[in-house]
Amino acid sequence: MVGAIQDATTLAGGVGDLVNGLSPDWGPFSAVGSKARTIIQVLMAAVVLILFGMAIWGAWQIRVGNSQQNTMDVKQGKTMVISALAGLFLVASMSTLFGIVFGMGV
């Protein structure tokens, strides 16, 4: 019982590393240097900002399309918002997914 509690405490201590991004030094990130991690984090942040901008632009298209009663703009805006939010979800959760998969030893 005590061993299981210590194992659970060790696993819970690693959650902060997963939440903070590419900070684990094991699995796919062990061979990556600190400069490469910084570059990867900057690229991921840039992609997140671009996708967030696309979602805002799509919402603007929906608003303009509704005010002008242009169904093509509304449809294009909805597609842009949905695809940008799906991309945001995937990019933002990539490090967590990688950490979980490689933490399980898969």
Side-chain angles (χ1 to χ4, degrees):
M1 180 78 174
V2 173
I5 292 173
Q6 288 176 346
D7 289 341
T9 305
T10 303
L11 288 174
V15 171
D17 291 339
L18 294 175
V19 174
N20 292 330
L22 295 173
S23 58
D25 290 334
W26 43 266
F29 310 117
S30 61
V32 178
S34 63
K35 289 183 182 180
R37 279 191 206 134
T38 304
I39 291 171
I40 291 170
Q41 289 173 344
V42 168
L43 287 175
M44 286 178 71
V47 169
V48 166
L49 288 176
I50 290 169
L51 288 172
F52 188 63
M54 284 178 55
I56 291 172
W57 181 257
W60 178 257
Q61 279 187 331
I62 292 171
R63 174 143 172 104
V64 169
N66 278 335
S67 66
Q68 296 177 353
Q69 296 179 356
N70 186 350
T71 57
M72 290 299 290
D73 278 345
V74 172
K75 186 175 181 178
Q76 186 179 10
K78 285 180 183 179
T79 303
M80 190 177 286
V81 168
I82 290 170
S83 61
L85 292 178
L88 277 170
F89 173 76
L90 290 175
V91 169
S93 63
M94 277 175 60
S95 65
T96 302
L97 292 175
F98 288 157
I100 291 170
V101 168
F102 282 96
M104 291 176 8
V106 175

